[in-house]
Amino acid sequence: MPLGPKPRDPGRILPRDPAQEAREASDEEGGELARQDCPQPRSGEEVDSSSRPPVAKRRKVDTKGERGRQREVDEEEAQKMRSLVAAMSPEQLNRYQVFRCSAFPKATIKRLIQAVAGTPVSQNVVIAMSGMAKVFVGEVVEEALDMCEKWGEKPPLQPKHLREAVRRLRKKGQMPSTKHKILF
């Protein structure tokens, strides 16, 4: 008498188990089956799913009104910004709008970072570096405008103003020197 499972009758249709189908689908995708209706017990806890609602139906509880406080802070900052913008002269407002709209091309920044670092970089790194470059250029231009005013000249800025601004920023230690090669 042969041992083992009986040979299956190809003409007979067997009822399918939904859990088995899910396991097979999970195995085909190469991942693990994550059951949303049965939360995993924490260490030291016993599984008792009858007293808790399914994970899909649970809601995150707002702890101590953090969203409300954040909203209040955002509204307060927006109000401060509105009053600051309202106090600007038309020339200052125009400069502020140009500053807000200006940006370095992200593709160029990404290419430059990848050339220096030698590895691919994420979009967040590109955004951060673009922001830092914008602040750096703003500092150089601000220093150049101070030099222009100090010399008794009026804008537009000339290359001599920018060169002097870079020289002064290097002297203050706010700009790296290009004479020494920095090794990472």
Side-chain angles (χ1 to χ4, degrees), residues 8 15 17-18 43-44 54 60 75 107 133 141-142 150 152 154 160:
R8 216 168 53 153
D17 180 18
S43 61
K60 184 177 178 183
E75 289 174 9
V141 168
E142 185 178 344
K150 184 177 179 182
K154 293 183 179 180
K160 64 181 181 180

Side-chain angles (χ1 to χ4, degrees), residues 84-97:
L84 183 65
V85 169
M88 290 182 183
S89 69
E91 182 183 347
Q92 290 173 326
L93 186 59
N94 186 33
R95 265 191 272 152
Y96 176 71
Q97 288 173 342

